[in-house]
Structures are given as C-alpha cells and as structure tokens.
Amino acid sequence: MVDTLATDVSDARERIKAAASRVFSTKGLDGARMQDIADEARINKAMLHYYFRNKQQLFEMIFEELLTRVFSALEALVADHASFEDRIRAFVSTQITIISEFPAMPLFVLLEARKDPELLSRKFVGKPLDMVRQRFSDMVDREVSSGRIRPVTFDQLFINILSLSVYPVVAEPMIRFVLGMESGAFQSMIENRKTLVADLIIRDLNPFSI
Amino acid sequence: MVDTLATDVSDARERIKAAASRVFSTKGLDGARMQDIADEARINKAMLHYYFRNKQQLFEMIFEELLTRVFSALEALVADHASFEDRIRAFVSTQITIISEFPAMPLFVLLEARKDPELLSRKFVGKPLDMVRQRFSDMVDREVSSGRIRPVTFDQLFINILSLSVYPVVAEPMIRFVLGMESGAFQSMIENRKTLVADLIIRDLNPFSI
DNA sequence: AAGAGTATCAACCATCTGGTTAAACTGTTT
DNA sequence: AAACAGTTTAACCAGATGGTTGATACTCTT
C-alpha cells in the first residue's frame, strides 16, 4: 500500500473524469447531478469539489478533452500521406468509432454550444484549426483541379461526411424505434456504415459518375 | 375587451406552448426554468401550472406535437402519387425546413429519449408507424426490383437521407465555428442543401452510376 | 345584480442541489 | 514522534426551483 498513492491520486481524478463523461453525456450538463457523478466515481461528493472547483469547471475539462480527441481525428484527415480516398475512409471509420464510445456526447456538446456561444472559441484557443481547414481545403481543390474528383465545395463535402458518420450514432434511440431495430442489429448496421459511408462519399466524388 | 376572452384563453395556452418550445429547445428539459417559460410567454408562473399540471406534462405535450409534425412529413414521403425521385426531393426539403424552425429540437428530443427510453413508445402510440415504414420499404423494393435504382437497403437509405438533412442544421454552432461561417453564409448553405442533398441521394441511387 | 365558472396574481413553501467547512485520516519528512 | 501536506469524510448551508394556495378580477348567463 505504499506505491499505490500516486496511482490512487490520479485514479480519483481519472475516475471522476470518466464518471463525469458518462453522466454528462447521458443527462446533459443541467440534468447531471454532482451526486450522480460522485456515485458513479464511487467517491464522496466533496471530492468533486476538491479536484475540480465546481461543476462548470469539471464540465469544461470534459468538454475540452473531447474536442481535443475529435480534433486529432480531424488532423489525421490531412496529416498522413495516404491517398485522398484512403484518408476519407480512415476519417469516417475513426469518427464513427469515437462517437460510438460516447454516443450522446455530440448532443450535449451541441446543446451547450448553443446555450453558450463563446464556449467553442474559448475551448479552441491554441488549436491549429485554421491550418487544418486550409490543408483540407487545398487538398480538395487539388483533387478537383486535377480532375480526380468532380467539382465540389470543401464545405459541403466536409458536412456530408460528418453528417453521415455522426448523426446515425447520435440518433440511435429514434432510428431504432422508427426502424424497429434491436440493439445488436443497430450496432452491426453502424459497423457497416464505416465502409458504406466512405463508399457513398467516394462514389459521389467520381467525376464520371452518371 | 369583450370578444377577446375566447381568443385570450387559447392565446395563453398557445403562447405557453410556443414559449416552452423555444425555451426547451435551447436549454433542454432540465436547463429550462418554469420562470423562463413564463417570462417568454409573458404570463405569471402560476399560470403554467394552471394550464399544465407540471413541467413534465408541459414537456410531453411539446414533445408529442413535435413528433406529430415530423411524422406527418414522413407520411408525405409515402402518401402522394409523385415519382420516387420527387418524393425524396419533397421529403428532404420539408425535413430541412421543419428542423430549421427549431434547430435544437432534435438535440433535446434525442437527449430525453436517451434518458427515458420509454418516452418514444409512449408518445408514438396510435401513430401508424408500421404502416408508413412498410409502405416506404415496399416502395424502395419496387424501385430496386424494377431496376430503376441500384440495390440498397431501405434502412440505410432512410438513415442517409435523415442524416444529410437533419444533422447540418442541428450542428450549426460547430459547423459555423469549424468552417468559419457567418450566420448568413450558413443559412444560404442550408438552403442550398435542400436540392444538393436530394441530388446526392438520387445520384447515389442511379443503377448505372460508376 | 347575483351567481358561476374561468383566469390571473403575489406570496408562500418544501425540497433539491451546488458548494462549503472543519475535522479526521494517511503517508512523508524532519 | 511531531510537524506537515495531501486526501477523504460527514454534516451543514444558502439559494434556486417546481409547485401550491388563497384571494381577487373578469366574463358570461340567468
């Protein structure tokens, strides 16, 4: 019981963050009770305030870490030296995987971003967003002008990829209800989409299509 | 001030519902304060409880009316006698229009549906969901077997249409931030999508594509 | 004009919840 | 072993919030 201290310490912090992620993402910022998070992390409620000053700060920490993760997936879209097609395939697959881990996260991120419009800019300071956007934009333009893909605006392409990847995971309850799917069927459907969505996007970019 | 009673009565109810829609959809169920809704409706807080027993019932009323609206758009997808292509175009356009009116609605619908899994089935009783699904499914199968569209599962087609229509509107804050768009640019981008998404879907269904 | 039903309001209340505090416990340093 | 710093806990508190109440006003009917 000597060398466990250090790990215990970070353990508590990490347990809190993991617990907060779960609770926030299912109940939203306002719906989440500090007591819920404490229970989920198996600690005393006062410990939350010991490690994180208050609910808002705890929330912003979770929020920021999530953004960082999503952002790094974005960077993968422009960073490596694979073909355009392979990058899209990788991005779609990564995006679906990340979102599937906490399917309700985009819901509460977007809800909070609507409530507090400054939140995003506050949390994105220091992240090279402009650079990534520029790189992706250039990449698309290059593909277009070389005739490898048909003319598309980078904005709409980006939005299409994101929509097709993220929304189905987020909308699980509605989709399962409307389509009458069991949990297993839904999951394999999502798994299929990792290639299906990329196929659709790439097919759509084919300059000789139709 | 004589004949205004009847209208005032329904007026109060309607004002409350409209106000609750706005407040719920921007702040979520838990984030919305009864006082906020009262202020927004320009009435006394006690009036909320006069017209609606409690917060939950007010919420469920709003929720149900929204579902009904979305559902009737669904029915338009299978009801009229236009061509398959025209129906898809009409559905995409309608869907985007409806969602644009209360862009955060899907967020809180989905968040609440996750918190309370029975909510959807509770609110969908009596609505001919199975019939609509069957009709749409048959329609797709008919198009496929006649060779007018390439083989697709109706599930994935439905999900694709929904994702491409709904998500961009919902994700406005994130999209505008990441792509550096002003409000005006965003709105015209969404407007463009009414045809752009339908084009994409229809192009994708072309059996001779690629 | 009296009565009934409806609508409106200010004040009030019980409870929940985020946050605090002061004390106790743990391992480390001196 | 005593002082020390970091960690954990139970008990507590102030403010916010959903909901209630009892009185008052309005409108229509008779």
Side-chain angles (χ1 to χ4, degrees):
Chain A
M1 282 300 186
V2 177
D3 63 335
T4 52
L5 178 92
T7 44
D8 273 355
V9 170
S10 83
D11 222 46
R13 269 191 86 89
E14 291 310 312
R15 275 216 312 281
I16 291 174
K17 289 202 289 190
S21 291
R22 281 190 293 266
V23 177
F24 279 142
S25 75
T26 49
K27 304 196 173 184
L29 174 56
D30 295 299
R33 300 292 94 130
M34 293 300 265
Q35 190 61 58
D36 295 343
I37 298 174
D39 292 346
E40 180 87 14
R42 299 188 313 280
I43 54 157
N44 188 290
K45 181 164 75 83
M47 291 294 289
L48 292 182
H49 295 94
Y50 178 74
Y51 284 107
F52 302 89
R53 192 176 312 281
N54 54 36
K55 194 181 183 180
Q56 186 66 25
Q57 196 196 293
L58 176 56
F59 160 72
E60 299 222 357
M61 161 124 308
I62 305 294
F63 191 92
E64 190 164 0
E65 293 203 353
L66 180 77
L67 274 196
T68 303
R69 266 182 89 195
V70 171
F71 194 78
S72 61
L74 245 184
E75 282 183 315
L77 182 63
V78 298
D80 66 332
H81 292 259
S83 71
F84 188 64
E85 178 174 332
D86 285 349
R87 280 187 239 194
I88 287 182
R89 289 190 182 284
F91 181 67
V92 168
S93 180
T94 310
Q95 207 68 355
I96 291 179
T97 304
I98 292 179
I99 304 293
S100 293
E101 210 178 317
F102 289 110
M105 270 292 179
L107 292 181
F108 109 109
V109 167
L110 287 170
L111 202 59
E112 296 312 320
R114 276 175 189 277
K115 279 194 268 185
D116 177 3
E118 296 302 308
L119 187 63
L120 287 176
S121 24
R122 217 162 56 234
K123 289 302 154 192
F124 259 109
V125 286
K127 301 218 187 328
L129 181 58
D130 289 333
M131 192 264 280
V132 170
R133 181 173 55 225
Q134 192 59 49
R135 293 259 291 277
F136 184 52
S137 173
D138 289 349
M139 200 166 78
V140 172
D141 290 347
R142 209 158 43 237
E143 297 291 314
V144 168
S145 60
S146 72
R148 283 191 293 273
I149 68 175
R150 69 178 180 82
V152 289
T153 71
F154 127 85
D155 286 0
Q156 296 282 15
L157 174 59
F158 180 71
I159 292 171
N160 288 344
I161 295 177
L162 221 60
S163 302
L164 290 166
S165 306
V166 174
Y167 191 69
V169 182
V170 169
E172 170 171 359
M174 187 64 80
I175 288 174
R176 276 183 49 194
F177 184 77
V178 172
L179 298 182
M181 281 182 174
E182 291 303 318
S183 173
F186 179 82
Q187 270 166 37
S188 60
M189 183 276 287
I190 291 293
E191 190 61 33
N192 285 342
R193 288 184 73 82
K194 287 182 185 174
T195 55
L196 190 145
V197 166
D199 287 346
L200 191 160
I201 292 291
I202 288 159
R203 201 182 315 123
D204 182 60
L205 289 176
N206 189 307
F208 308 113
S209 181
I210 299 210
Chain B
M1 282 298 187
V2 177
D3 63 334
T4 52
L5 177 95
T7 45
D8 273 356
V9 171
S10 82
D11 223 47
R13 268 192 87 89
E14 291 310 312
R15 274 216 314 281
I16 290 175
K17 289 202 289 190
S21 290
R22 281 190 291 267
V23 176
F24 278 142
S25 75
T26 49
K27 304 197 173 183
L29 174 56
D30 296 298
R33 298 294 94 132
M34 292 301 265
Q35 190 62 59
D36 295 343
I37 299 174
D39 292 347
E40 181 87 13
R42 299 190 314 280
I43 53 156
N44 188 287
K45 181 163 74 83
M47 292 297 288
L48 291 183
H49 298 282
Y50 179 73
Y51 284 106
F52 302 90
R53 193 175 309 280
N54 54 35
K55 193 181 184 182
Q56 186 66 25
Q57 196 197 296
L58 177 55
F59 160 72
E60 301 223 356
M61 162 124 306
I62 305 294
F63 190 92
E64 189 165 358
E65 293 202 352
L66 181 77
L67 275 197
T68 302
R69 264 180 91 195
V70 171
F71 193 79
S72 60
L74 246 185
E75 284 184 313
L77 183 62
V78 298
D80 66 330
H81 291 260
S83 70
F84 188 64
E85 177 174 331
D86 286 348
R87 281 187 238 193
I88 288 182
R89 290 191 182 282
F91 181 68
V92 167
S93 180
T94 310
Q95 208 66 358
I96 291 180
T97 304
I98 292 179
I99 304 293
S100 293
E101 210 178 318
F102 290 110
M105 270 292 179
L107 292 180
F108 110 108
V109 167
L110 287 170
L111 201 60
E112 296 312 320
R114 277 176 188 278
K115 279 195 268 185
D116 177 1
E118 297 301 309
L119 187 62
L120 287 177
S121 22
R122 217 162 55 234
K123 288 302 154 194
F124 259 109
V125 286
K127 299 218 188 324
L129 182 57
D130 289 332
M131 192 264 280
V132 171
R133 181 172 56 225
Q134 192 58 49
R135 294 259 291 275
F136 185 52
S137 172
D138 289 349
M139 201 165 79
V140 171
D141 291 347
R142 209 159 43 238
E143 297 291 314
V144 168
S145 59
S146 72
R148 283 190 292 272
I149 68 175
R150 69 177 181 81
V152 289
T153 71
F154 126 86
D155 286 0
Q156 297 281 15
L157 174 59
F158 181 70
I159 292 171
N160 287 343
I161 295 177
L162 221 60
S163 301
L164 290 167
S165 306
V166 174
Y167 190 70
V169 181
V170 168
E172 169 171 358
M174 186 63 78
I175 288 174
R176 277 183 49 192
F177 185 77
V178 171
L179 299 183
M181 280 182 175
E182 292 304 318
S183 173
F186 179 82
Q187 270 166 37
S188 61
M189 183 276 287
I190 291 293
E191 191 60 32
N192 284 341
R193 286 184 74 82
K194 287 183 184 174
T195 57
L196 190 145
V197 166
D199 287 346
L200 192 160
I201 292 291
I202 286 159
R203 203 183 312 123
D204 183 61
L205 289 177
N206 189 308
F208 308 113
S209 180
I210 299 215

